[in-house]
Amino acid sequence: MMNLCRLRYCILSFVTLLCSLASYASSHREAPLISNDPLADNTDLYAFKSPDDPNSITIIANYIPFESPDGGPNYYNFGPNVRYEIHIKNKTTTAGDDITYRFTFSSINEDPTTFFNIRLGKQNLKTTYKCEKSMDGGMTFSTIVAEGIVPPNNIGPRSIEGKTVGLEAPDYNSLVEGAINTATSGEKVFCGPVDDPFFVDLAGAFDVGNFRPEGNTTNAPKGTLNRFNVHTIALKIPVSMLQKEGRGVSQAENILDADFVIGVWASASRQMIKTLGTDGEVGYEGKYVQVSRLGMPLTNEAVIPIGMKDLWNSLTPYEGHDLQFAKYFVNPELALYMDDSKFGAAVPSLNALRIQSNSLGAFDFRNGRSGLFGLKGSSALVGTALDDAIFGTLLLPDIASPRAVDLLPIFYTGVPNLAPYQLATGKNNNPLAKGKPFINNFLPTLGDMLRLNMAVPATPRDDSKFSSLGLVQAAVLGITDPAYNANKDLQWIPNMDGFPNGRRLEDDVTTIELQAVSGIVLAAIGLFYDDATPEAPVSPQLLRVLTFNSGPTKNDTSLKGTFPYVANPWRGFDYPEKARF
């Protein structure tokens, strides 16, 4: 009888294990399974040169989508049974992470006799965290913040500033400032609720690409995330701590020094087995399994098909895992709606975006076409990034993968400072020639990450040439602005620190990625749009792409000028539903 019971227990445990794997094999809101687990849901990831400190990098990983500020009595909070991690890669000679930051959270109820979140100076779901750091690929961790404070949700004036009944804080921002820690290893750390800095018209995007550009008076764009909060994990880290040899910015050879490139991604993990008790208790057992990840924005949302989303989120970007998804980048679905020979006519909102089908009278980059493959083996490729001896076997894989030459490196390797990946400036209408350098975030790990060259100076946020179009605008300035197009020498151009060279809080990544799918990067390096001529490369088609936007072009509130840069969370008491759009 005992053996039978043990056998039954083992079978039930095995079934539970399988169910847990199936339930937690995904990540991010746009994947089917993680949509049922918001506390472990990565929403966005940012990595940028700190605008007020040229010697540091800020990394921000956001979790928990669509937090309504007035969502009580059980307000959103970090999950106590979730392992949140930020992963950093700075070498190609190692198999996994070179630096890992791990966050675990704990909550207590200081006054379980009330249903209020805050009452009489006590706080329910009062949350603290431990931050650990690994420098050996996750083999060992050391604690660098033992008991960090998570500010409470910004419920209302009586709860936060109220005398006797509330926390008696001078204001909410004082709680935020008081929660900024300096780790024993030197990093600044903040964890807590903030305004969601991402801006996008999700309603239009998912209505089969029915984008509503800003300025459209007949059907104004909707800021889907306006006045919603998220929970953020923010790190401000010295460049010398992230650079693989411990060098600071002043030791970089130039502003595109390849040794200063890092890759960043974030994840959340849960234990494999969840047990529900009849007394309301919940238990967790087993090893941790990744349930969510995020590197480049919108990868899983707009590139990976529904049937593969959960699998994508269960994997790390190491060991070649992401190569199975490469086919979705070399022939992206979105490109079909920018091609009149396919489904372009069905999505009028993307009419401004059309992919080169006869660039320079010879090259077709529409899905399934040959792109630059006709040059394979040509002596013209020798010494360029398309040379088989350097990198060409991935960038020119076959006759029907046209976007392997531009979209694939942006997401999977970063872009090297090699021809043809230099601006058309100085190329004399030969896209394979050397031109003006404007990017080098090459870290060929063949996996999805935000890649950032830390040597590139930050563009001041009050610079008249600062732009939410990031590296696209840097390319425009490098080609058209007399201050930057007089020669093809390396020089700093505003917005070289913008997406996809990292990601700033201000960057309009939705518009930039749609422009990229439409071939804007190809045009920047000299593979101009079909209507261009050598005398007029800035053609009407190029101008239509550059002036296109996907809807909201900035956040609905102002960002801070100092760490953690994101705005304080919206206050529930002041939250007007009508102000969301």
Side-chain angles (χ1 to χ4, degrees), residues 488-512:
K488 61 180 181 181
D489 296 335
L490 172 62
Q491 70 179 120
W492 179 75
I493 305 171
N495 304 294
M496 285 173 66
D497 59 316
F499 181 77
N501 180 31
R503 179 186 179 187
R504 304 172 299 188
L505 292 165
E506 299 88 349
D507 286 335
D508 184 358
V509 296
T510 307
T511 294
I512 294 170

PDB file of all heavy atoms in Angstrom, residues 488-512:
ATOM      1  N   LYS A 488      33.868  62.359 -44.696  1.00  0.00           N
ATOM      2  CA  LYS A 488      33.452  61.060 -44.180  1.00  0.00           C
ATOM      3  C   LYS A 488      34.260  60.632 -42.954  1.00  0.00           C
ATOM      4  O   LYS A 488      34.292  59.450 -42.613  1.00  0.00           O
ATOM      5  CB  LYS A 488      33.529  59.988 -45.269  1.00  0.00           C
ATOM      6  CG  LYS A 488      34.906  59.754 -45.863  1.00  0.00           C
ATOM      7  CD  LYS A 488      34.822  58.667 -46.937  1.00  0.00           C
ATOM      8  CE  LYS A 488      36.188  58.376 -47.551  1.00  0.00           C
ATOM      9  NZ  LYS A 488      36.097  57.330 -48.606  1.00  0.00           N
ATOM     10  N   ASP A 489      34.852  61.596 -42.285  1.00  0.00           N
ATOM     11  CA  ASP A 489      35.607  61.292 -41.069  1.00  0.00           C
ATOM     12  C   ASP A 489      34.652  61.003 -39.909  1.00  0.00           C
ATOM     13  O   ASP A 489      33.515  61.492 -39.868  1.00  0.00           O
ATOM     14  CB  ASP A 489      36.504  62.475 -40.692  1.00  0.00           C
ATOM     15  CG  ASP A 489      37.574  62.750 -41.742  1.00  0.00           C
ATOM     16  OD1 ASP A 489      37.922  61.801 -42.474  1.00  0.00           O
ATOM     17  OD2 ASP A 489      38.029  63.907 -41.837  1.00  0.00           O
ATOM     18  N   LEU A 490      35.131  60.244 -38.958  1.00  0.00           N
ATOM     19  CA  LEU A 490      34.355  59.966 -37.756  1.00  0.00           C
ATOM     20  C   LEU A 490      34.214  61.238 -36.933  1.00  0.00           C
ATOM     21  O   LEU A 490      35.193  61.917 -36.638  1.00  0.00           O
ATOM     22  CB  LEU A 490      35.046  58.883 -36.918  1.00  0.00           C
ATOM     23  CG  LEU A 490      34.451  58.612 -35.529  1.00  0.00           C
ATOM     24  CD1 LEU A 490      33.016  58.108 -35.641  1.00  0.00           C
ATOM     25  CD2 LEU A 490      35.314  57.605 -34.767  1.00  0.00           C
ATOM     26  N   GLN A 491      33.001  61.585 -36.593  1.00  0.00           N
ATOM     27  CA  GLN A 491      32.744  62.694 -35.681  1.00  0.00           C
ATOM     28  C   GLN A 491      31.432  62.412 -34.952  1.00  0.00           C
ATOM     29  O   GLN A 491      30.596  61.634 -35.421  1.00  0.00           O
ATOM     30  CB  GLN A 491      32.671  64.036 -36.422  1.00  0.00           C
ATOM     31  CG  GLN A 491      31.443  64.200 -37.305  1.00  0.00           C
ATOM     32  CD  GLN A 491      31.360  65.530 -38.011  1.00  0.00           C
ATOM     33  OE1 GLN A 491      31.335  65.584 -39.224  1.00  0.00           O
ATOM     34  NE2 GLN A 491      31.316  66.637 -37.276  1.00  0.00           N
ATOM     35  N   TRP A 492      31.283  63.051 -33.802  1.00  0.00           N
ATOM     36  CA  TRP A 492      30.036  62.865 -33.056  1.00  0.00           C
ATOM     37  C   TRP A 492      28.894  63.564 -33.768  1.00  0.00           C
ATOM     38  O   TRP A 492      29.000  64.724 -34.166  1.00  0.00           O
ATOM     39  CB  TRP A 492      30.166  63.413 -31.640  1.00  0.00           C
ATOM     40  CG  TRP A 492      28.893  63.272 -30.850  1.00  0.00           C
ATOM     41  CD1 TRP A 492      28.392  62.137 -30.299  1.00  0.00           C
ATOM     42  CD2 TRP A 492      27.945  64.305 -30.554  1.00  0.00           C
ATOM     43  NE1 TRP A 492      27.192  62.391 -29.670  1.00  0.00           N
ATOM     44  CE2 TRP A 492      26.896  63.716 -29.816  1.00  0.00           C
ATOM     45  CE3 TRP A 492      27.889  65.673 -30.850  1.00  0.00           C
ATOM     46  CZ2 TRP A 492      25.802  64.441 -29.352  1.00  0.00           C
ATOM     47  CZ3 TRP A 492      26.790  66.398 -30.386  1.00  0.00           C
ATOM     48  CH2 TRP A 492      25.764  65.791 -29.645  1.00  0.00           C
ATOM     49  N   ILE A 493      27.805  62.837 -33.957  1.00  0.00           N
ATOM     50  CA  ILE A 493      26.585  63.371 -34.548  1.00  0.00           C
ATOM     51  C   ILE A 493      25.488  63.220 -33.508  1.00  0.00           C
ATOM     52  O   ILE A 493      25.362  62.148 -32.896  1.00  0.00           O
ATOM     53  CB  ILE A 493      26.200  62.614 -35.837  1.00  0.00           C
ATOM     54  CG1 ILE A 493      27.358  62.608 -36.834  1.00  0.00           C
ATOM     55  CG2 ILE A 493      24.956  63.218 -36.470  1.00  0.00           C
ATOM     56  CD1 ILE A 493      27.114  61.699 -38.040  1.00  0.00           C
ATOM     57  N   PRO A 494      24.680  64.248 -33.261  1.00  0.00           N
ATOM     58  CA  PRO A 494      23.601  64.097 -32.282  1.00  0.00           C
ATOM     59  C   PRO A 494      22.748  62.869 -32.562  1.00  0.00           C
ATOM     60  O   PRO A 494      22.462  62.537 -33.709  1.00  0.00           O
ATOM     61  CB  PRO A 494      22.793  65.394 -32.466  1.00  0.00           C
ATOM     62  CG  PRO A 494      23.788  66.386 -32.959  1.00  0.00           C
ATOM     63  CD  PRO A 494      24.721  65.606 -33.847  1.00  0.00           C
ATOM     64  N   ASN A 495      22.378  62.175 -31.500  1.00  0.00           N
ATOM     65  CA  ASN A 495      21.513  60.991 -31.528  1.00  0.00           C
ATOM     66  C   ASN A 495      22.229  59.698 -31.924  1.00  0.00           C
ATOM     67  O   ASN A 495      21.577  58.671 -32.112  1.00  0.00           O
ATOM     68  CB  ASN A 495      20.284  61.217 -32.423  1.00  0.00           C
ATOM     69  CG  ASN A 495      19.500  62.433 -31.992  1.00  0.00           C
ATOM     70  OD1 ASN A 495      18.927  62.456 -30.903  1.00  0.00           O
ATOM     71  ND2 ASN A 495      19.486  63.469 -32.821  1.00  0.00           N
ATOM     72  N   MET A 496      23.562  59.736 -32.018  1.00  0.00           N
ATOM     73  CA  MET A 496      24.289  58.476 -32.198  1.00  0.00           C
ATOM     74  C   MET A 496      24.123  57.567 -30.981  1.00  0.00           C
ATOM     75  O   MET A 496      24.391  56.365 -31.057  1.00  0.00           O
ATOM     76  CB  MET A 496      25.773  58.761 -32.436  1.00  0.00           C
ATOM     77  CG  MET A 496      26.087  59.291 -33.823  1.00  0.00           C
ATOM     78  SD  MET A 496      27.814  59.818 -34.026  1.00  0.00           S
ATOM     79  CE  MET A 496      28.697  58.273 -33.875  1.00  0.00           C
ATOM     80  N   ASP A 497      23.677  58.124 -29.868  1.00  0.00           N
ATOM     81  CA  ASP A 497      23.422  57.333 -28.661  1.00  0.00           C
ATOM     82  C   ASP A 497      21.986  56.837 -28.593  1.00  0.00           C
ATOM     83  O   ASP A 497      21.555  56.310 -27.557  1.00  0.00           O
ATOM     84  CB  ASP A 497      23.725  58.170 -27.419  1.00  0.00           C
ATOM     85  CG  ASP A 497      22.878  59.452 -27.355  1.00  0.00           C
ATOM     86  OD1 ASP A 497      22.737  60.134 -28.389  1.00  0.00           O
ATOM     87  OD2 ASP A 497      22.367  59.774 -26.273  1.00  0.00           O
ATOM     88  N   GLY A 498      21.229  56.993 -29.681  1.00  0.00           N
ATOM     89  CA  GLY A 498      19.815  56.616 -29.673  1.00  0.00           C
ATOM     90  C   GLY A 498      19.570  55.247 -30.272  1.00  0.00           C
ATOM     91  O   GLY A 498      20.423  54.658 -30.924  1.00  0.00           O
ATOM     92  N   PHE A 499      18.368  54.755 -30.076  1.00  0.00           N
ATOM     93  CA  PHE A 499      17.957  53.442 -30.569  1.00  0.00           C
ATOM     94  C   PHE A 499      18.165  53.345 -32.085  1.00  0.00           C
ATOM     95  O   PHE A 499      17.861  54.290 -32.803  1.00  0.00           O
ATOM     96  CB  PHE A 499      16.479  53.214 -30.246  1.00  0.00           C
ATOM     97  CG  PHE A 499      15.954  51.875 -30.679  1.00  0.00           C
ATOM     98  CD1 PHE A 499      16.246  50.739 -29.950  1.00  0.00           C
ATOM     99  CD2 PHE A 499      15.180  51.752 -31.821  1.00  0.00           C
ATOM    100  CE1 PHE A 499      15.777  49.503 -30.352  1.00  0.00           C
ATOM    101  CE2 PHE A 499      14.703  50.529 -32.223  1.00  0.00           C
ATOM    102  CZ  PHE A 499      15.006  49.399 -31.485  1.00  0.00           C
ATOM    103  N   PRO A 500      18.707  52.206 -32.580  1.00  0.00           N
ATOM    104  CA  PRO A 500      18.994  50.949 -31.882  1.00  0.00           C
ATOM    105  C   PRO A 500      20.393  50.812 -31.298  1.00  0.00           C
ATOM    106  O   PRO A 500      20.826  49.688 -31.042  1.00  0.00           O
ATOM    107  CB  PRO A 500      18.760  49.919 -32.984  1.00  0.00           C
ATOM    108  CG  PRO A 500      19.167  50.605 -34.233  1.00  0.00           C
ATOM    109  CD  PRO A 500      18.769  52.042 -34.049  1.00  0.00           C
ATOM    110  N   ASN A 501      21.101  51.923 -31.087  1.00  0.00           N
ATOM    111  CA  ASN A 501      22.317  51.867 -30.287  1.00  0.00           C
ATOM    112  C   ASN A 501      21.897  52.084 -28.840  1.00  0.00           C
ATOM    113  O   ASN A 501      21.894  53.200 -28.334  1.00  0.00           O
ATOM    114  CB  ASN A 501      23.312  52.935 -30.736  1.00  0.00           C
ATOM    115  CG  ASN A 501      24.600  52.896 -29.915  1.00  0.00           C
ATOM    116  OD1 ASN A 501      25.016  51.834 -29.454  1.00  0.00           O
ATOM    117  ND2 ASN A 501      25.206  54.050 -29.716  1.00  0.00           N
ATOM    118  N   GLY A 502      21.511  50.997 -28.160  1.00  0.00           N
ATOM    119  CA  GLY A 502      20.844  51.122 -26.875  1.00  0.00           C
ATOM    120  C   GLY A 502      19.427  51.609 -27.073  1.00  0.00           C
ATOM    121  O   GLY A 502      18.867  51.574 -28.180  1.00  0.00           O
ATOM    122  N   ARG A 503      18.833  52.095 -26.006  1.00  0.00           N
ATOM    123  CA  ARG A 503      17.476  52.636 -26.086  1.00  0.00           C
ATOM    124  C   ARG A 503      17.303  53.671 -24.982  1.00  0.00           C
ATOM    125  O   ARG A 503      17.441  53.365 -23.802  1.00  0.00           O
ATOM    126  CB  ARG A 503      16.434  51.524 -25.926  1.00  0.00           C
ATOM    127  CG  ARG A 503      14.991  52.019 -25.977  1.00  0.00           C
ATOM    128  CD  ARG A 503      14.006  50.905 -25.664  1.00  0.00           C
ATOM    129  NE  ARG A 503      12.635  51.385 -25.689  1.00  0.00           N
ATOM    130  CZ  ARG A 503      11.574  50.657 -25.320  1.00  0.00           C
ATOM    131  NH1 ARG A 503      11.753  49.403 -24.910  1.00  0.00           N
ATOM    132  NH2 ARG A 503      10.366  51.157 -25.357  1.00  0.00           N
ATOM    133  N   ARG A 504      17.004  54.892 -25.386  1.00  0.00           N
ATOM    134  CA  ARG A 504      16.738  55.958 -24.437  1.00  0.00           C
ATOM    135  C   ARG A 504      15.252  55.977 -24.098  1.00  0.00           C
ATOM    136  O   ARG A 504      14.420  55.476 -24.866  1.00  0.00           O
ATOM    137  CB  ARG A 504      17.161  57.310 -25.026  1.00  0.00           C
ATOM    138  CG  ARG A 504      18.618  57.359 -25.460  1.00  0.00           C
ATOM    139  CD  ARG A 504      18.971  58.622 -26.220  1.00  0.00           C
ATOM    140  NE  ARG A 504      18.214  58.776 -27.467  1.00  0.00           N
ATOM    141  CZ  ARG A 504      18.446  59.711 -28.377  1.00  0.00           C
ATOM    142  NH1 ARG A 504      19.418  60.592 -28.179  1.00  0.00           N
ATOM    143  NH2 ARG A 504      17.716  59.783 -29.476  1.00  0.00           N
ATOM    144  N   LEU A 505      14.897  56.565 -22.975  1.00  0.00           N
ATOM    145  CA  LEU A 505      13.498  56.645 -22.576  1.00  0.00           C
ATOM    146  C   LEU A 505      12.676  57.432 -23.577  1.00  0.00           C
ATOM    147  O   LEU A 505      11.478  57.185 -23.740  1.00  0.00           O
ATOM    148  CB  LEU A 505      13.388  57.289 -21.189  1.00  0.00           C
ATOM    149  CG  LEU A 505      13.934  56.464 -20.018  1.00  0.00           C
ATOM    150  CD1 LEU A 505      14.110  57.335 -18.786  1.00  0.00           C
ATOM    151  CD2 LEU A 505      13.033  55.281 -19.712  1.00  0.00           C
ATOM    152  N   GLU A 506      13.314  58.364 -24.277  1.00  0.00           N
ATOM    153  CA  GLU A 506      12.600  59.237 -25.213  1.00  0.00           C
ATOM    154  C   GLU A 506      12.445  58.623 -26.601  1.00  0.00           C
ATOM    155  O   GLU A 506      11.696  59.160 -27.432  1.00  0.00           O
ATOM    156  CB  GLU A 506      13.335  60.579 -25.351  1.00  0.00           C
ATOM    157  CG  GLU A 506      13.454  61.366 -24.062  1.00  0.00           C
ATOM    158  CD  GLU A 506      14.699  61.019 -23.247  1.00  0.00           C
ATOM    159  OE1 GLU A 506      15.377  60.011 -23.581  1.00  0.00           O
ATOM    160  OE2 GLU A 506      14.985  61.737 -22.280  1.00  0.00           O
ATOM    161  N   ASP A 507      13.124  57.542 -26.910  1.00  0.00           N
ATOM    162  CA  ASP A 507      13.154  57.029 -28.280  1.00  0.00           C
ATOM    163  C   ASP A 507      11.804  56.442 -28.707  1.00  0.00           C
ATOM    164  O   ASP A 507      11.200  55.635 -27.988  1.00  0.00           O
ATOM    165  CB  ASP A 507      14.240  55.960 -28.417  1.00  0.00           C
ATOM    166  CG  ASP A 507      15.631  56.556 -28.434  1.00  0.00           C
ATOM    167  OD1 ASP A 507      15.769  57.730 -28.799  1.00  0.00           O
ATOM    168  OD2 ASP A 507      16.588  55.838 -28.077  1.00  0.00           O
ATOM    169  N   ASP A 508      11.363  56.833 -29.889  1.00  0.00           N
ATOM    170  CA  ASP A 508      10.104  56.343 -30.466  1.00  0.00           C
ATOM    171  C   ASP A 508      10.399  55.032 -31.201  1.00  0.00           C
ATOM    172  O   ASP A 508      10.504  54.994 -32.437  1.00  0.00           O
ATOM    173  CB  ASP A 508       9.535  57.395 -31.415  1.00  0.00           C
ATOM    174  CG  ASP A 508       8.178  57.015 -31.989  1.00  0.00           C
ATOM    175  OD1 ASP A 508       7.684  55.909 -31.674  1.00  0.00           O
ATOM    176  OD2 ASP A 508       7.619  57.821 -32.759  1.00  0.00           O
ATOM    177  N   VAL A 509      10.525  53.964 -30.443  1.00  0.00           N
ATOM    178  CA  VAL A 509      11.002  52.705 -31.026  1.00  0.00           C
ATOM    179  C   VAL A 509      10.005  52.103 -32.007  1.00  0.00           C
ATOM    180  O   VAL A 509      10.401  51.414 -32.956  1.00  0.00           O
ATOM    181  CB  VAL A 509      11.364  51.680 -29.926  1.00  0.00           C
ATOM    182  CG1 VAL A 509      12.525  52.185 -29.089  1.00  0.00           C
ATOM    183  CG2 VAL A 509      10.176  51.350 -29.045  1.00  0.00           C
ATOM    184  N   THR A 510       8.721  52.344 -31.823  1.00  0.00           N
ATOM    185  CA  THR A 510       7.730  51.789 -32.750  1.00  0.00           C
ATOM    186  C   THR A 510       7.911  52.399 -34.133  1.00  0.00           C
ATOM    187  O   THR A 510       7.972  51.685 -35.149  1.00  0.00           O
ATOM    188  CB  THR A 510       6.307  52.041 -32.241  1.00  0.00           C
ATOM    189  OG1 THR A 510       6.184  51.571 -30.898  1.00  0.00           O
ATOM    190  CG2 THR A 510       5.294  51.322 -33.117  1.00  0.00           C
ATOM    191  N   THR A 511       8.015  53.717 -34.192  1.00  0.00           N
ATOM    192  CA  THR A 511       8.231  54.377 -35.481  1.00  0.00           C
ATOM    193  C   THR A 511       9.565  53.961 -36.091  1.00  0.00           C
ATOM    194  O   THR A 511       9.652  53.656 -37.290  1.00  0.00           O
ATOM    195  CB  THR A 511       8.178  55.906 -35.310  1.00  0.00           C
ATOM    196  OG1 THR A 511       6.845  56.284 -34.921  1.00  0.00           O
ATOM    197  CG2 THR A 511       8.543  56.619 -36.599  1.00  0.00           C
ATOM    198  N   ILE A 512      10.622  53.948 -35.284  1.00  0.00           N
ATOM    199  CA  ILE A 512      11.949  53.598 -35.807  1.00  0.00           C
ATOM    200  C   ILE A 512      11.949  52.193 -36.390  1.00  0.00           C
ATOM    201  O   ILE A 512      12.493  51.955 -37.480  1.00  0.00           O
ATOM    202  CB  ILE A 512      13.017  53.714 -34.697  1.00  0.00           C
ATOM    203  CG1 ILE A 512      13.172  55.170 -34.254  1.00  0.00           C
ATOM    204  CG2 ILE A 512      14.357  53.177 -35.182  1.00  0.00           C
ATOM    205  CD1 ILE A 512      14.029  55.349 -33.005  1.00  0.00           C
TER     206      ILE A 512
END
